[in-house]
Amino acid sequence: MRVAAVGTALAAALLGLSAASVATGAVPVPPSDVLALLVGGVVDPVHAAVVTELRLPRLLLAGLVGASLATGGALLQGLFHNPLADPQLVGVSAGAALGAAAGAVLGAGTGIALPTAAFLGALAAAGVVSAAAASAERTADLLLAGIAVNALCGAGVGLLVFAADDAALRSFTFWTLGSVGGATWPTLSWVAPLVGLPLVASLGQARAMDALLLGDADAEALGVAVGRTRLVVVLLTAASVGAGVAACGTVAFVGLVCPHLARLVVGPSHAGLLPVSALAGAVLLVAADLLARTVVAPVELPLGVVTTAVGGPFLLWLLARRSRR
Amino acid sequence: MIGLRADRVTVRRGGRALVENVSLRPEAGELHVLAGANGAGKSTLLGALAGTVRPDEGEVTLDGRPLSAWSARALARRRAVLGQRETLSEGLSAREVVALGRYAHGGLSPRAALVDACLRETGVAALADRAVPTLSGGERQRVHLARALAQVSGADPGAVLLLDEPTSALDLAAQVHVLGLLASLARDRGLAVVCVLHDLNLAGAWADRITLLRGGCRVAEGPPGDVLVPDVLQEALGVRVHVLPHPISGRPQVLLG
């Protein structure tokens, strides 16, 4: 089974990167200490604190958000019959960021309120984009709608940050370029289920998503409740991407790059595409975060700068390849 | 009341009637061909029979229940549709596309033997692992036909197969093969097969009944020998033709000029 082999390879890569990520930083922690920590052994208390309070939550957040964005991209690409659909490009991430920023200004800084606001923002953005690009088979319409939604949401976030000057809002950079630097266990306690459960649930839509590739009319004739499937997939994507954005801002291009690479390797059938995309997303974001905090240490690069450095050229390559056809 | 019944169906779009007051009762065990000029309403009528086009007047029922009362899944277990328009751009393999025919029948993946049998029946078994968008038009058409076959495979008699110009991209040998296949699905498996066709000679050779449409209205309906007559065809298609009995089968053959 190709999917199993690719999945295993990605999982191994993820494990290796995770080990490297936990060991690397301003305070290097020897691999032996990491290993000892995992099995409950005695370790230098500074090393223990650095790993369990800083690097481990950060690692888990990066992995979860990467998986969420990549799966969101795979789902949106299938839903819109559009290879360029991506939570960032179509504005779903920006909608979530605006929702979360608005929530933060209104005092929803803690608990479930922030991701709820992000979810509503993501949902609204997805709704606007779907309506504006009703003939979803025209690639350009969807992206133009995405540009408009991104611009509007970006302006909204900018206005909030400018007007609020509130610690809860942190910074414009955080919402637009992303960072997993603020990861804590309390954050993870809501991010993990809100990101993870929709991802698992979306696997249940895999065959319906395959049928949608044949077009709405054919899918309906095959027995897919097309309207309900679309609604469920949009809700799952908005919940997952929204929670991720609420925790670490918007991170560009993960949702574009990973599903494409996954499709090249395991094909477009969603039963394989979704889990492989999720793993690839986790790998990409864990690697990006490792880079972001090590290349110019002690300063940290915004996460979105690293993913865009990978994703921007990738998008140009995709466009060039499409226009050659 | 078993089977598909269209009762005085009218479909209007933009103030124009695309189908007007047409009734149709495709019988189980019969291959029923819809024929007519471009824009005569064949595809619209087929869409109404499939439930994808909602009639403005009249009603389509399956086993006595209006199509709108069926869930998508229950309907899909009772009837398959092969449309004309194809939107698949992703590289699903032929095997994966055919397996999707079993979507409504539950289970994570259908038996590989069933999928392979359907691919063999339409003559594309050798293409099973090829990505569908890389196939030729005729090959793609046969893959999608195999998908429709998979959907009605094992269905009770009286299940419905609706096809919109399933031979439009096929070479002569494949056209003959597909029509023979459709006729045998009707005869041997008890399906009601409704098929839009332009080629009147294919219709004459294989159909049990033909409905001839013009401007959304029914001009004639009956066995090929009753419908394929020069005066009726002139009225429906605006072409003067001759009709001769086939020297061996005796079925009507349409000659031009």
Side-chain angles (χ1 to χ4, degrees), chain B residues 220-254:
Chain B
E221 189 197 319
D226 293 357
V227 175
L228 300 183
V229 293
D231 289 348
V232 175
L233 292 175
Q234 168 132 41
E235 186 194 344
L237 304 172
V239 183
R240 192 70 211 161
V241 296
H242 299 280
V243 179
L244 294 179
H246 188 280
I248 294 166
S249 69
R251 283 170 162 269
Q253 290 290 291
V254 177

PDB file of all heavy atoms in Angstrom, chain B residues 220-254:
ATOM      1  N   ALA B 220     -43.846  11.196 -31.135  1.00  0.00           N
ATOM      2  CA  ALA B 220     -44.258   9.810 -31.332  1.00  0.00           C
ATOM      3  C   ALA B 220     -43.633   8.953 -30.254  1.00  0.00           C
ATOM      4  O   ALA B 220     -42.580   9.275 -29.713  1.00  0.00           O
ATOM      5  CB  ALA B 220     -43.813   9.315 -32.710  1.00  0.00           C
ATOM      6  N   GLU B 221     -44.299   7.857 -29.946  1.00  0.00           N
ATOM      7  CA  GLU B 221     -43.704   6.880 -29.052  1.00  0.00           C
ATOM      8  C   GLU B 221     -44.194   5.505 -29.437  1.00  0.00           C
ATOM      9  O   GLU B 221     -45.365   5.326 -29.784  1.00  0.00           O
ATOM     10  CB  GLU B 221     -44.066   7.146 -27.587  1.00  0.00           C
ATOM     11  CG  GLU B 221     -43.253   6.255 -26.665  1.00  0.00           C
ATOM     12  CD  GLU B 221     -43.817   6.139 -25.260  1.00  0.00           C
ATOM     13  OE1 GLU B 221     -44.259   7.155 -24.717  1.00  0.00           O
ATOM     14  OE2 GLU B 221     -43.802   5.017 -24.730  1.00  0.00           O
ATOM     15  N   GLY B 222     -43.274   4.541 -29.422  1.00  0.00           N
ATOM     16  CA  GLY B 222     -43.687   3.180 -29.741  1.00  0.00           C
ATOM     17  C   GLY B 222     -42.499   2.341 -30.117  1.00  0.00           C
ATOM     18  O   GLY B 222     -41.355   2.780 -29.991  1.00  0.00           O
ATOM     19  N   PRO B 223     -42.759   1.134 -30.589  1.00  0.00           N
ATOM     20  CA  PRO B 223     -41.663   0.288 -31.056  1.00  0.00           C
ATOM     21  C   PRO B 223     -41.003   0.934 -32.276  1.00  0.00           C
ATOM     22  O   PRO B 223     -41.641   1.751 -32.965  1.00  0.00           O
ATOM     23  CB  PRO B 223     -42.357  -1.017 -31.447  1.00  0.00           C
ATOM     24  CG  PRO B 223     -43.753  -0.916 -30.952  1.00  0.00           C
ATOM     25  CD  PRO B 223     -44.068   0.508 -30.698  1.00  0.00           C
ATOM     26  N   PRO B 224     -39.736   0.623 -32.527  1.00  0.00           N
ATOM     27  CA  PRO B 224     -39.015   1.282 -33.619  1.00  0.00           C
ATOM     28  C   PRO B 224     -39.788   1.274 -34.940  1.00  0.00           C
ATOM     29  O   PRO B 224     -39.810   2.282 -35.648  1.00  0.00           O
ATOM     30  CB  PRO B 224     -37.727   0.461 -33.730  1.00  0.00           C
ATOM     31  CG  PRO B 224     -37.515  -0.095 -32.373  1.00  0.00           C
ATOM     32  CD  PRO B 224     -38.882  -0.331 -31.792  1.00  0.00           C
ATOM     33  N   GLY B 225     -40.451   0.174 -35.232  1.00  0.00           N
ATOM     34  CA  GLY B 225     -41.174   0.081 -36.493  1.00  0.00           C
ATOM     35  C   GLY B 225     -42.293   1.104 -36.623  1.00  0.00           C
ATOM     36  O   GLY B 225     -42.650   1.511 -37.727  1.00  0.00           O
ATOM     37  N   ASP B 226     -42.847   1.548 -35.467  1.00  0.00           N
ATOM     38  CA  ASP B 226     -43.929   2.529 -35.524  1.00  0.00           C
ATOM     39  C   ASP B 226     -43.415   3.957 -35.545  1.00  0.00           C
ATOM     40  O   ASP B 226     -44.084   4.860 -36.041  1.00  0.00           O
ATOM     41  CB  ASP B 226     -44.843   2.372 -34.290  1.00  0.00           C
ATOM     42  CG  ASP B 226     -45.588   1.048 -34.304  1.00  0.00           C
ATOM     43  OD1 ASP B 226     -45.426   0.308 -35.296  1.00  0.00           O
ATOM     44  OD2 ASP B 226     -46.286   0.750 -33.322  1.00  0.00           O
ATOM     45  N   VAL B 227     -42.245   4.163 -34.948  1.00  0.00           N
ATOM     46  CA  VAL B 227     -41.737   5.535 -34.806  1.00  0.00           C
ATOM     47  C   VAL B 227     -40.836   5.921 -35.972  1.00  0.00           C
ATOM     48  O   VAL B 227     -40.883   7.047 -36.463  1.00  0.00           O
ATOM     49  CB  VAL B 227     -40.978   5.688 -33.471  1.00  0.00           C
ATOM     50  CG1 VAL B 227     -40.332   7.054 -33.355  1.00  0.00           C
ATOM     51  CG2 VAL B 227     -41.923   5.445 -32.308  1.00  0.00           C
ATOM     52  N   LEU B 228     -40.012   4.973 -36.410  1.00  0.00           N
ATOM     53  CA  LEU B 228     -39.069   5.288 -37.485  1.00  0.00           C
ATOM     54  C   LEU B 228     -39.748   5.130 -38.831  1.00  0.00           C
ATOM     55  O   LEU B 228     -39.486   4.198 -39.594  1.00  0.00           O
ATOM     56  CB  LEU B 228     -37.831   4.387 -37.375  1.00  0.00           C
ATOM     57  CG  LEU B 228     -37.044   4.512 -36.058  1.00  0.00           C
ATOM     58  CD1 LEU B 228     -35.793   3.637 -36.088  1.00  0.00           C
ATOM     59  CD2 LEU B 228     -36.657   5.955 -35.777  1.00  0.00           C
ATOM     60  N   VAL B 229     -40.652   6.052 -39.105  1.00  0.00           N
ATOM     61  CA  VAL B 229     -41.298   6.085 -40.424  1.00  0.00           C
ATOM     62  C   VAL B 229     -41.070   7.468 -41.023  1.00  0.00           C
ATOM     63  O   VAL B 229     -40.978   8.453 -40.282  1.00  0.00           O
ATOM     64  CB  VAL B 229     -42.805   5.763 -40.321  1.00  0.00           C
ATOM     65  CG1 VAL B 229     -43.008   4.315 -39.896  1.00  0.00           C
ATOM     66  CG2 VAL B 229     -43.500   6.697 -39.359  1.00  0.00           C
ATOM     67  N   PRO B 230     -40.923   7.568 -42.321  1.00  0.00           N
ATOM     68  CA  PRO B 230     -40.472   8.807 -42.964  1.00  0.00           C
ATOM     69  C   PRO B 230     -41.269  10.041 -42.566  1.00  0.00           C
ATOM     70  O   PRO B 230     -40.680  11.074 -42.247  1.00  0.00           O
ATOM     71  CB  PRO B 230     -40.610   8.498 -44.459  1.00  0.00           C
ATOM     72  CG  PRO B 230     -40.424   7.020 -44.538  1.00  0.00           C
ATOM     73  CD  PRO B 230     -41.033   6.460 -43.297  1.00  0.00           C
ATOM     74  N   ASP B 231     -42.593   9.942 -42.515  1.00  0.00           N
ATOM     75  CA  ASP B 231     -43.384  11.144 -42.230  1.00  0.00           C
ATOM     76  C   ASP B 231     -43.142  11.644 -40.803  1.00  0.00           C
ATOM     77  O   ASP B 231     -43.016  12.850 -40.570  1.00  0.00           O
ATOM     78  CB  ASP B 231     -44.880  10.844 -42.414  1.00  0.00           C
ATOM     79  CG  ASP B 231     -45.222  10.672 -43.883  1.00  0.00           C
ATOM     80  OD1 ASP B 231     -44.355  11.022 -44.728  1.00  0.00           O
ATOM     81  OD2 ASP B 231     -46.318  10.179 -44.182  1.00  0.00           O
ATOM     82  N   VAL B 232     -43.075  10.687 -39.869  1.00  0.00           N
ATOM     83  CA  VAL B 232     -42.844  11.070 -38.473  1.00  0.00           C
ATOM     84  C   VAL B 232     -41.467  11.706 -38.317  1.00  0.00           C
ATOM     85  O   VAL B 232     -41.290  12.734 -37.649  1.00  0.00           O
ATOM     86  CB  VAL B 232     -42.972   9.833 -37.560  1.00  0.00           C
ATOM     87  CG1 VAL B 232     -42.610  10.196 -36.123  1.00  0.00           C
ATOM     88  CG2 VAL B 232     -44.373   9.258 -37.624  1.00  0.00           C
ATOM     89  N   LEU B 233     -40.465  11.101 -38.965  1.00  0.00           N
ATOM     90  CA  LEU B 233     -39.102  11.619 -38.845  1.00  0.00           C
ATOM     91  C   LEU B 233     -38.976  12.988 -39.498  1.00  0.00           C
ATOM     92  O   LEU B 233     -38.258  13.857 -39.009  1.00  0.00           O
ATOM     93  CB  LEU B 233     -38.106  10.622 -39.465  1.00  0.00           C
ATOM     94  CG  LEU B 233     -37.974   9.310 -38.696  1.00  0.00           C
ATOM     95  CD1 LEU B 233     -37.065   8.331 -39.431  1.00  0.00           C
ATOM     96  CD2 LEU B 233     -37.465   9.538 -37.275  1.00  0.00           C
ATOM     97  N   GLN B 234     -39.681  13.183 -40.596  1.00  0.00           N
ATOM     98  CA  GLN B 234     -39.637  14.507 -41.227  1.00  0.00           C
ATOM     99  C   GLN B 234     -40.224  15.554 -40.287  1.00  0.00           C
ATOM    100  O   GLN B 234     -39.692  16.646 -40.135  1.00  0.00           O
ATOM    101  CB  GLN B 234     -40.437  14.486 -42.539  1.00  0.00           C
ATOM    102  CG  GLN B 234     -40.665  15.905 -43.097  1.00  0.00           C
ATOM    103  CD  GLN B 234     -40.328  16.025 -44.561  1.00  0.00           C
ATOM    104  OE1 GLN B 234     -40.645  15.122 -45.339  1.00  0.00           O
ATOM    105  NE2 GLN B 234     -39.696  17.103 -44.955  1.00  0.00           N
ATOM    106  N   GLU B 235     -41.328  15.197 -39.638  1.00  0.00           N
ATOM    107  CA  GLU B 235     -41.965  16.137 -38.720  1.00  0.00           C
ATOM    108  C   GLU B 235     -41.041  16.442 -37.538  1.00  0.00           C
ATOM    109  O   GLU B 235     -40.908  17.594 -37.115  1.00  0.00           O
ATOM    110  CB  GLU B 235     -43.287  15.544 -38.210  1.00  0.00           C
ATOM    111  CG  GLU B 235     -44.081  16.536 -37.363  1.00  0.00           C
ATOM    112  CD  GLU B 235     -45.196  15.861 -36.573  1.00  0.00           C
ATOM    113  OE1 GLU B 235     -45.547  14.699 -36.894  1.00  0.00           O
ATOM    114  OE2 GLU B 235     -45.688  16.491 -35.622  1.00  0.00           O
ATOM    115  N   ALA B 236     -40.376  15.404 -37.010  1.00  0.00           N
ATOM    116  CA  ALA B 236     -39.581  15.598 -35.803  1.00  0.00           C
ATOM    117  C   ALA B 236     -38.218  16.211 -36.094  1.00  0.00           C
ATOM    118  O   ALA B 236     -37.713  17.016 -35.319  1.00  0.00           O
ATOM    119  CB  ALA B 236     -39.391  14.269 -35.075  1.00  0.00           C
ATOM    120  N   LEU B 237     -37.599  15.801 -37.177  1.00  0.00           N
ATOM    121  CA  LEU B 237     -36.212  16.190 -37.427  1.00  0.00           C
ATOM    122  C   LEU B 237     -36.051  17.147 -38.603  1.00  0.00           C
ATOM    123  O   LEU B 237     -34.991  17.727 -38.794  1.00  0.00           O
ATOM    124  CB  LEU B 237     -35.355  14.941 -37.698  1.00  0.00           C
ATOM    125  CG  LEU B 237     -35.386  13.869 -36.609  1.00  0.00           C
ATOM    126  CD1 LEU B 237     -34.675  12.606 -37.082  1.00  0.00           C
ATOM    127  CD2 LEU B 237     -34.758  14.382 -35.338  1.00  0.00           C
ATOM    128  N   GLY B 238     -37.092  17.280 -39.410  1.00  0.00           N
ATOM    129  CA  GLY B 238     -37.015  18.173 -40.551  1.00  0.00           C
ATOM    130  C   GLY B 238     -36.107  17.660 -41.656  1.00  0.00           C
ATOM    131  O   GLY B 238     -35.507  18.440 -42.387  1.00  0.00           O
ATOM    132  N   VAL B 239     -35.989  16.352 -41.753  1.00  0.00           N
ATOM    133  CA  VAL B 239     -35.147  15.761 -42.801  1.00  0.00           C
ATOM    134  C   VAL B 239     -35.961  14.696 -43.529  1.00  0.00           C
ATOM    135  O   VAL B 239     -36.671  13.900 -42.907  1.00  0.00           O
ATOM    136  CB  VAL B 239     -33.894  15.083 -42.195  1.00  0.00           C
ATOM    137  CG1 VAL B 239     -33.001  14.537 -43.300  1.00  0.00           C
ATOM    138  CG2 VAL B 239     -33.118  16.056 -41.347  1.00  0.00           C
ATOM    139  N   ARG B 240     -35.835  14.702 -44.842  1.00  0.00           N
ATOM    140  CA  ARG B 240     -36.526  13.679 -45.622  1.00  0.00           C
ATOM    141  C   ARG B 240     -35.651  12.429 -45.625  1.00  0.00           C
ATOM    142  O   ARG B 240     -34.482  12.488 -45.987  1.00  0.00           O
ATOM    143  CB  ARG B 240     -36.728  14.198 -47.052  1.00  0.00           C
ATOM    144  CG  ARG B 240     -37.670  13.375 -47.902  1.00  0.00           C
ATOM    145  CD  ARG B 240     -39.110  13.521 -47.421  1.00  0.00           C
ATOM    146  NE  ARG B 240     -39.836  12.269 -47.697  1.00  0.00           N
ATOM    147  CZ  ARG B 240     -40.967  11.927 -47.096  1.00  0.00           C
ATOM    148  NH1 ARG B 240     -41.490  12.705 -46.178  1.00  0.00           N
ATOM    149  NH2 ARG B 240     -41.563  10.794 -47.402  1.00  0.00           N
ATOM    150  N   VAL B 241     -36.182  11.309 -45.193  1.00  0.00           N
ATOM    151  CA  VAL B 241     -35.388  10.072 -45.141  1.00  0.00           C
ATOM    152  C   VAL B 241     -36.198   8.925 -45.744  1.00  0.00           C
ATOM    153  O   VAL B 241     -37.409   9.022 -45.938  1.00  0.00           O
ATOM    154  CB  VAL B 241     -35.003   9.706 -43.698  1.00  0.00           C
ATOM    155  CG1 VAL B 241     -34.110  10.748 -43.076  1.00  0.00           C
ATOM    156  CG2 VAL B 241     -36.255   9.479 -42.857  1.00  0.00           C
ATOM    157  N   HIS B 242     -35.459   7.859 -46.032  1.00  0.00           N
ATOM    158  CA  HIS B 242     -36.114   6.607 -46.399  1.00  0.00           C
ATOM    159  C   HIS B 242     -35.891   5.615 -45.287  1.00  0.00           C
ATOM    160  O   HIS B 242     -34.865   5.648 -44.618  1.00  0.00           O
ATOM    161  CB  HIS B 242     -35.528   6.053 -47.705  1.00  0.00           C
ATOM    162  CG  HIS B 242     -35.711   6.994 -48.861  1.00  0.00           C
ATOM    163  ND1 HIS B 242     -36.890   7.098 -49.548  1.00  0.00           N
ATOM    164  CD2 HIS B 242     -34.860   7.895 -49.412  1.00  0.00           C
ATOM    165  CE1 HIS B 242     -36.761   8.028 -50.478  1.00  0.00           C
ATOM    166  NE2 HIS B 242     -35.534   8.528 -50.426  1.00  0.00           N
ATOM    167  N   VAL B 243     -36.811   4.723 -45.094  1.00  0.00           N
ATOM    168  CA  VAL B 243     -36.655   3.694 -44.089  1.00  0.00           C
ATOM    169  C   VAL B 243     -36.836   2.342 -44.750  1.00  0.00           C
ATOM    170  O   VAL B 243     -37.836   2.107 -45.452  1.00  0.00           O
ATOM    171  CB  VAL B 243     -37.677   3.857 -42.949  1.00  0.00           C
ATOM    172  CG1 VAL B 243     -37.497   2.748 -41.913  1.00  0.00           C
ATOM    173  CG2 VAL B 243     -37.531   5.223 -42.293  1.00  0.00           C
ATOM    174  N   LEU B 244     -35.851   1.484 -44.589  1.00  0.00           N
ATOM    175  CA  LEU B 244     -35.921   0.135 -45.157  1.00  0.00           C
ATOM    176  C   LEU B 244     -35.776  -0.883 -44.039  1.00  0.00           C
ATOM    177  O   LEU B 244     -35.104  -0.620 -43.053  1.00  0.00           O
ATOM    178  CB  LEU B 244     -34.769  -0.079 -46.155  1.00  0.00           C
ATOM    179  CG  LEU B 244     -34.789   0.757 -47.428  1.00  0.00           C
ATOM    180  CD1 LEU B 244     -33.563   0.432 -48.257  1.00  0.00           C
ATOM    181  CD2 LEU B 244     -36.054   0.504 -48.207  1.00  0.00           C
ATOM    182  N   PRO B 245     -36.389  -2.039 -44.191  1.00  0.00           N
ATOM    183  CA  PRO B 245     -36.145  -3.085 -43.209  1.00  0.00           C
ATOM    184  C   PRO B 245     -34.766  -3.684 -43.404  1.00  0.00           C
ATOM    185  O   PRO B 245     -34.290  -3.833 -44.540  1.00  0.00           O
ATOM    186  CB  PRO B 245     -37.244  -4.122 -43.505  1.00  0.00           C
ATOM    187  CG  PRO B 245     -37.631  -3.871 -44.918  1.00  0.00           C
ATOM    188  CD  PRO B 245     -37.351  -2.444 -45.232  1.00  0.00           C
ATOM    189  N   HIS B 246     -34.087  -3.965 -42.296  1.00  0.00           N
ATOM    190  CA  HIS B 246     -32.781  -4.592 -42.369  1.00  0.00           C
ATOM    191  C   HIS B 246     -32.926  -5.949 -43.043  1.00  0.00           C
ATOM    192  O   HIS B 246     -33.858  -6.698 -42.721  1.00  0.00           O
ATOM    193  CB  HIS B 246     -32.218  -4.746 -40.946  1.00  0.00           C
ATOM    194  CG  HIS B 246     -30.804  -5.204 -40.900  1.00  0.00           C
ATOM    195  ND1 HIS B 246     -30.455  -6.515 -41.064  1.00  0.00           N
ATOM    196  CD2 HIS B 246     -29.643  -4.525 -40.725  1.00  0.00           C
ATOM    197  CE1 HIS B 246     -29.141  -6.634 -40.990  1.00  0.00           C
ATOM    198  NE2 HIS B 246     -28.622  -5.429 -40.785  1.00  0.00           N
ATOM    199  N   PRO B 247     -32.043  -6.286 -43.962  1.00  0.00           N
ATOM    200  CA  PRO B 247     -32.217  -7.522 -44.732  1.00  0.00           C
ATOM    201  C   PRO B 247     -32.239  -8.773 -43.868  1.00  0.00           C
ATOM    202  O   PRO B 247     -32.832  -9.775 -44.260  1.00  0.00           O
ATOM    203  CB  PRO B 247     -31.036  -7.526 -45.697  1.00  0.00           C
ATOM    204  CG  PRO B 247     -30.090  -6.504 -45.189  1.00  0.00           C
ATOM    205  CD  PRO B 247     -30.903  -5.510 -44.443  1.00  0.00           C
ATOM    206  N   ILE B 248     -31.620  -8.752 -42.717  1.00  0.00           N
ATOM    207  CA  ILE B 248     -31.585  -9.972 -41.902  1.00  0.00           C
ATOM    208  C   ILE B 248     -32.515  -9.858 -40.696  1.00  0.00           C
ATOM    209  O   ILE B 248     -33.374 -10.712 -40.476  1.00  0.00           O
ATOM    210  CB  ILE B 248     -30.136 -10.269 -41.442  1.00  0.00           C
ATOM    211  CG1 ILE B 248     -29.297 -10.615 -42.685  1.00  0.00           C
ATOM    212  CG2 ILE B 248     -30.107 -11.435 -40.441  1.00  0.00           C
ATOM    213  CD1 ILE B 248     -27.823 -10.603 -42.458  1.00  0.00           C
ATOM    214  N   SER B 249     -32.377  -8.760 -39.921  1.00  0.00           N
ATOM    215  CA  SER B 249     -33.177  -8.663 -38.691  1.00  0.00           C
ATOM    216  C   SER B 249     -34.587  -8.144 -38.975  1.00  0.00           C
ATOM    217  O   SER B 249     -35.493  -8.321 -38.161  1.00  0.00           O
ATOM    218  CB  SER B 249     -32.486  -7.743 -37.688  1.00  0.00           C
ATOM    219  OG  SER B 249     -32.534  -6.404 -38.157  1.00  0.00           O
ATOM    220  N   GLY B 250     -34.748  -7.452 -40.082  1.00  0.00           N
ATOM    221  CA  GLY B 250     -36.046  -6.877 -40.378  1.00  0.00           C
ATOM    222  C   GLY B 250     -36.324  -5.583 -39.642  1.00  0.00           C
ATOM    223  O   GLY B 250     -37.365  -4.960 -39.830  1.00  0.00           O
ATOM    224  N   ARG B 251     -35.374  -5.134 -38.785  1.00  0.00           N
ATOM    225  CA  ARG B 251     -35.580  -3.893 -38.043  1.00  0.00           C
ATOM    226  C   ARG B 251     -35.396  -2.679 -38.960  1.00  0.00           C
ATOM    227  O   ARG B 251     -34.669  -2.746 -39.945  1.00  0.00           O
ATOM    228  CB  ARG B 251     -34.590  -3.825 -36.882  1.00  0.00           C
ATOM    229  CG  ARG B 251     -35.022  -4.715 -35.718  1.00  0.00           C
ATOM    230  CD  ARG B 251     -33.933  -4.814 -34.701  1.00  0.00           C
ATOM    231  NE  ARG B 251     -34.464  -5.286 -33.415  1.00  0.00           N
ATOM    232  CZ  ARG B 251     -34.906  -4.475 -32.452  1.00  0.00           C
ATOM    233  NH1 ARG B 251     -34.880  -3.187 -32.611  1.00  0.00           N
ATOM    234  NH2 ARG B 251     -35.372  -4.985 -31.332  1.00  0.00           N
ATOM    235  N   PRO B 252     -36.045  -1.567 -38.611  1.00  0.00           N
ATOM    236  CA  PRO B 252     -35.978  -0.413 -39.519  1.00  0.00           C
ATOM    237  C   PRO B 252     -34.582   0.214 -39.563  1.00  0.00           C
ATOM    238  O   PRO B 252     -33.932   0.368 -38.533  1.00  0.00           O
ATOM    239  CB  PRO B 252     -36.994   0.563 -38.908  1.00  0.00           C
ATOM    240  CG  PRO B 252     -37.167   0.131 -37.506  1.00  0.00           C
ATOM    241  CD  PRO B 252     -36.925  -1.340 -37.461  1.00  0.00           C
ATOM    242  N   GLN B 253     -34.137   0.545 -40.744  1.00  0.00           N
ATOM    243  CA  GLN B 253     -32.872   1.250 -40.951  1.00  0.00           C
ATOM    244  C   GLN B 253     -33.172   2.522 -41.723  1.00  0.00           C
ATOM    245  O   GLN B 253     -33.928   2.506 -42.703  1.00  0.00           O
ATOM    246  CB  GLN B 253     -31.899   0.371 -41.750  1.00  0.00           C
ATOM    247  CG  GLN B 253     -31.392  -0.828 -40.955  1.00  0.00           C
ATOM    248  CD  GLN B 253     -30.446  -0.420 -39.832  1.00  0.00           C
ATOM    249  OE1 GLN B 253     -29.345   0.031 -40.068  1.00  0.00           O
ATOM    250  NE2 GLN B 253     -30.912  -0.566 -38.590  1.00  0.00           N
ATOM    251  N   VAL B 254     -32.576   3.606 -41.265  1.00  0.00           N
ATOM    252  CA  VAL B 254     -32.879   4.916 -41.831  1.00  0.00           C
ATOM    253  C   VAL B 254     -31.805   5.283 -42.855  1.00  0.00           C
ATOM    254  O   VAL B 254     -30.613   5.230 -42.547  1.00  0.00           O
ATOM    255  CB  VAL B 254     -32.954   5.980 -40.719  1.00  0.00           C
ATOM    256  CG1 VAL B 254     -33.201   7.353 -41.312  1.00  0.00           C
ATOM    257  CG2 VAL B 254     -34.051   5.614 -39.728  1.00  0.00           C
TER     258      VAL B 254
END
